[in-house]
Amino acid sequence: NLRVSPTYDEEIRVELCEGEIYINDNYTITEAGRWPLQFFTADGCDSIVNVTLIYRPTFAEDIAMVICDGDSYALMDTVLTTSGTYTRSGLSMFGCDSTVTLNLSVKPQTSSRIDTTLCFGESLEVAGRTYAQTALDTLTLNDAIGCDSVVYVNVAILENPDRDTTAVICEG
């Protein structure tokens, strides 16, 4: 009786995350590529398993972000509103470790004050507004990164010195 035992020549695709090791029987693979591994069947016949090993990247990302006071920033599943350094870990789309470190700066609302006295007939321009009369005003402007900046304007106008003034005095 003659029995013919089969041999095998198989292809296997393996995806691992950076830093992981592929181990199959006595074979240890640590680099991406195509690796022919030789095995023997139960009857002692040669068999080849071609392992194509693909390494998927892990991610470590650093982000610097500036937001305005009163705004928020979403980092993964957390909504942040205060300055600080935040680190979150999770899995990438390949199932590999992913770490994000956020350096968040919250810019406070700034304010300034303009107090001035003008002579009659003079004017003052602030952010496209012209003041030619006594005024108290509050302007909300955007600064260079789009955050609110409040300007308090206080303008006093001196009376017109050319105005006729009638004085009454009593005799004596």
Side-chain angles (χ1 to χ4, degrees):
N1 255 357
L2 178 63
R3 185 171 60 105
V4 177
S5 291
T7 61
Y8 298 95
D9 189 359
E10 295 184 17
E11 297 286 331
I12 297 175
R13 178 183 164 109
V14 177
E15 295 184 18
L16 297 176
C17 297
E18 286 178 344
E20 294 181 336
I21 298 171
Y22 178 76
I23 299 174
N24 189 328
D25 282 342
N26 292 326
Y27 295 98
T28 300
I29 304 173
T30 59
E31 294 181 26
R34 187 171 184 266
W35 300 91
L37 308 182
Q38 183 175 1
F39 295 96
F40 296 99
T41 65
D43 294 328
C45 297
D46 288 344
S47 291
I48 301 291
V49 176
N50 292 299
V51 176
T52 300
L53 183 58
I54 298 170
Y55 277 103
R56 298 297 185 185
T58 58
F59 294 97
E61 185 174 5
D62 293 324
I63 301 171
M65 182 62 61
V66 177
I67 62 172
C68 303
D69 188 32
D71 289 347
S72 62
Y73 185 85
L75 178 62
M76 293 183 169
D77 60 348
T78 306
V79 176
L80 304 167
T81 58
T82 56
S83 294
T85 301
Y86 303 90
T87 301
R88 297 293 182 270
S89 296
L91 297 177
S92 72
M93 63 188 222
F94 302 116
C96 299
D97 291 339
S98 174
T99 302
V100 176
T101 301
L102 171 68
N103 183 8
L104 182 65
S105 297
V106 179
K107 187 174 185 303
Q109 183 181 57
T110 58
S111 65
S112 60
R113 185 173 187 86
I114 298 173
D115 289 303
T116 190
T117 301
L118 303 175
C119 293
F120 181 81
E122 292 181 327
S123 64
L124 170 71
E125 185 174 325
V126 178
R129 281 188 136 154
T130 302
Y131 299 92
Q133 300 177 19
T134 297
L136 288 172
D137 201 0
T138 302
L139 305 175
T140 302
L141 310 172
N142 287 326
D143 66 12
I145 65 166
C147 295
D148 286 348
S149 175
V150 178
V151 179
Y152 300 99
V153 180
N154 180 10
V155 178
I157 303 291
L158 296 174
E159 289 189 30
N160 183 352
D162 295 334
R163 197 169 96 190
D164 289 339
T165 305
T166 304
V168 177
I169 57 172
C170 296
E171 188 179 331

